[in-house]
Structure formats: C-alpha cells, structure tokens
Amino acid sequence: MNYVSVKGLSKRFKDHLVLDQIDFEIPRGAVVGLIGPNGAGKTTTLKALLGLTGHEGAIDVLGFSPRSERHKMMQHLGFISDVGVLPRWMKVSEVLDFTAGVHLNFDRAKAETILSTTQIRSNATVKALSKGMVTQLHLALVLAMNAKLLILDEPTLGLDIVYRSEFYQRILDDFLREDQSLLISTHQVEEIEHLLTHLLFIDRGKICLNASMDDVFERFLAVDVAKEQIDAAIKLEPISEQPGLGGTVMIFDGGFKRPLLEAIGPVRAVRVAELFVAMVKRD
C-alpha cells in the first residue's frame, strides 16, 4: 500500500522548469530521504504534496488530492519546516488549546507528555523559547496529531548537535510505527541515514535515484583503493573517485562486481552522502 503516489509531476516558473516529469511512491511504513542540492526541486516537490502550489501531473496523498481535498488530507498528515511559524505572542498552553480546536486527531495528553520531557513550560510564550525549543514544541504538536504521514523539510537547520540528536530520537520513539510513513528533506544526510528505508535523489528537477536502502546497499559498493591498484580499479568503471587517506575511495554501480573489487581493495557498504556526491555531478 502506498501513502503517496506521484506521476508525471512537473512545475514551471515562467521559463524555468523546476520539476520535470518526476515519478515516485512512498509506501506505508517507509522512511524516505529526499536528497538534493539547493535549487534541485525538493521544496517545490514538498509544496506540491502539501497542496501549496499548482502543478502538472497526478498526486495522491493518503487517498486525497492535495489541491482539491487538502483539508481532509491534512487531518492525517503532519508537516515541519525550518520556516514553520508558531504565533510568537501565544503561550505554550494556548498553542495547545488552538491546535486541539482545529485538528480532529490531536491528542493533547500526548503532547503534554512529550513536552514534560523538555524544559518547555506551559506558561512560557513562544517568543521566549530558543529555536531548539520552538522545534521541540512544533514536533510535540505534530506527533500528537497521530498522523499517518509526516513530512519534514530541513527540520533541524540551525540547531546544535544535541537538539538535532534529540529531535530524531523523538521521531524514533514517538512516531515511527508500521502504519506511519516519514518523508525527510535535509542536507544533514549522515544524521538520518540510520532511519531511512528508501532514497530519492533529485537534481535539476529530475529524480536520479529512486531505490530502497536494501537495493542501494546491494547495487552500490565503495572500495578504498591503494595507489598501486588505481589503474586496475579504473578499468572496472567507477562512477566516482574521491581522495582518501593513503589512496582513493571509488564508488561502483553493480553488486556483481564484488569479486573483482575485492581483489583491488577493501569493499564496504556505500554511505548515502558519498553516493549522493558520486551521482549528483557538476560540470
């Protein structure tokens, strides 16, 4: 069962084609990383999923059209963005009151339980909270909505490493279940790699990789190649060469090459960040 189905999604701003006929799906229970450089089309893709921008192509989110059935869709969907804004003049308790009044599935007791593990107090105003605390508050609100799909757009941008770690641990502890899916768009790839079940690489408005993590680890291999083995490695057609300690790290596409690769250097699983660098090349 797919929670999201996107077919032929295109978006143009005047003479600039931002998204070019992209297709992808998000299965039930999946954690999908949407990874791409600045200007690749990530935010436009998320806006289309959220019904915030017009587009060409077909989108189905949780059985709803984001454009014509957005209100129904948002009762089952949570969204956190780096630019997400909570009213600064409100007290935390008032934010909870407001959310309970507008979201049918909001579990106030769950939100209060989550906030009780933070330093956020119910009588504090939003403007008195640090950026990290505002992110914690926003996350508590979204998690308490018991959404089937959670979309995160650079949710921890600008936060220190402690807040970032706590943010993703909270996702693990209080959100991810078999019937919930997560879509994350972020530049901090290393911090989410352990969460992911699927990868989407987007570049210049096109999807350049759409695969499960199992397929990624089976298909792509990294080899630490010593200097004396570089010529032999090049003959096996790496898709990327990156300088490493004492030699070169090469990325290969094709798990069938493993026996040959093991003869030229230690073979290991590819990391998402280095695979991204390998596949999203710049002229």
Side-chain angles (χ1 to χ4, degrees), residues 62 64 71-78 96 98-111 140-149 177 180:
L62 300 170
F64 302 104
H71 176 70
K72 294 179 181 179
M73 178 188 76
M74 292 304 295
Q75 293 298 321
H76 307 281
L77 185 152
L96 296 178
F98 176 79
T99 306
V102 299
H103 203 288
L104 296 178
N105 296 324
F106 183 67
D107 183 343
R108 182 177 183 132
K110 182 176 181 178
L141 296 175
V142 170
L143 293 181
M145 292 174 186
N146 296 313
K148 291 182 178 179
L149 174 66
R177 299 196 308 264
Q180 294 176 303

Side-chain angles (χ1 to χ4, degrees), residues 25 43 75 105 121 225 277-278:
E25 296 174 338
T43 297
Q75 293 298 321
N105 296 324
R121 299 295 169 254
V225 183
V277 171

Side-chain angles (χ1 to χ4, degrees), residues 41-81:
K42 301 188 302 299
T43 297
T44 302
T45 299
L46 298 186
K47 285 184 176 179
L49 294 180
L50 294 166
L52 298 177
T53 186
H55 58 81
E56 298 177 8
I59 300 178
D60 181 286
V61 178
L62 300 170
F64 302 104
S65 164
R67 294 294 284 171
S68 62
E69 300 174 290
R70 186 171 188 273
H71 176 70
K72 294 179 181 179
M73 178 188 76
M74 292 304 295
Q75 293 298 321
H76 307 281
L77 185 152
F79 173 61
I80 298 178
S81 170

Side-chain angles (χ1 to χ4, degrees), residues 14-220:
K14 296 183 178 179
D15 60 345
H16 178 49
L17 188 61
V18 181
L19 297 175
D20 185 7
Q21 293 286 318
I22 68 172
D23 302 327
F24 66 89
E25 296 174 338
I26 297 178
R28 175 180 179 267
V31 181
V32 181
L34 178 63
I35 314 297
N38 290 332
K42 301 188 302 299
T43 297
T44 302
T45 299
L46 298 186
K47 285 184 176 179
L49 294 180
L50 294 166
L52 298 177
T53 186
H55 58 81
E56 298 177 8
I59 300 178
D60 181 286
V61 178
L62 300 170
F64 302 104
S65 164
R67 294 294 284 171
S68 62
E69 300 174 290
R70 186 171 188 273
H71 176 70
K72 294 179 181 179
M73 178 188 76
M74 292 304 295
Q75 293 298 321
H76 307 281
L77 185 152
F79 173 61
I80 298 178
S81 170
D82 175 56
V83 296
V85 177
L86 295 173
R88 290 175 54 80
W89 53 269
M90 274 190 174
K91 292 182 179 180
V92 172
S93 59
E94 294 171 333
V95 172
L96 296 178
D97 291 340
F98 176 79
T99 306
V102 299
H103 203 288
L104 296 178
N105 296 324
F106 183 67
D107 183 343
R108 182 177 183 132
K110 182 176 181 178
E112 290 175 340
T113 297
I114 294 172
L115 290 175
S116 69
T117 66
T118 72
Q119 295 181 338
I120 299 171
R121 299 295 169 254
S122 62
N123 61 350
T125 59
V126 172
K127 67 180 179 182
L129 303 178
S130 68
K131 182 172 183 178
M133 288 181 174
V134 172
T135 301
Q136 287 180 321
L137 173 57
H138 202 162
L139 181 60
L141 296 175
V142 170
L143 293 181
M145 292 174 186
N146 296 313
K148 291 182 178 179
L149 174 66
L150 177 56
I151 296 177
L152 307 177
D153 184 14
E154 296 289 356
T156 60
L157 196 64
L159 301 185
D160 64 39
I161 189 170
V162 174
Y163 273 119
R164 297 200 305 268
S165 177
E166 290 177 350
F167 180 90
Y168 288 116
Q169 188 59 49
R170 180 67 71 182
I171 294 287
L172 280 172
D173 293 342
D174 295 307
F175 179 75
L176 288 178
R177 299 196 308 264
E178 291 183 358
D179 62 340
Q180 294 176 303
S181 293
L182 177 62
L183 174 62
I184 312 174
S185 174
T186 180
H187 287 85
Q188 295 161 335
V189 181
E190 296 87 351
E191 296 185 359
I192 67 166
E193 183 170 351
H194 67 291
L195 297 175
L196 300 180
T197 64
H198 293 72
L199 265 184
L200 282 173
F201 284 170
I202 185 170
D203 187 35
R204 306 182 193 190
K206 292 180 176 289
I207 300 294
C208 54
L209 178 68
N210 181 358
S212 70
M213 292 300 295
D214 288 342
D215 289 342
V216 167
F217 291 137
E218 181 177 337
R219 174 180 166 187
F220 296 99

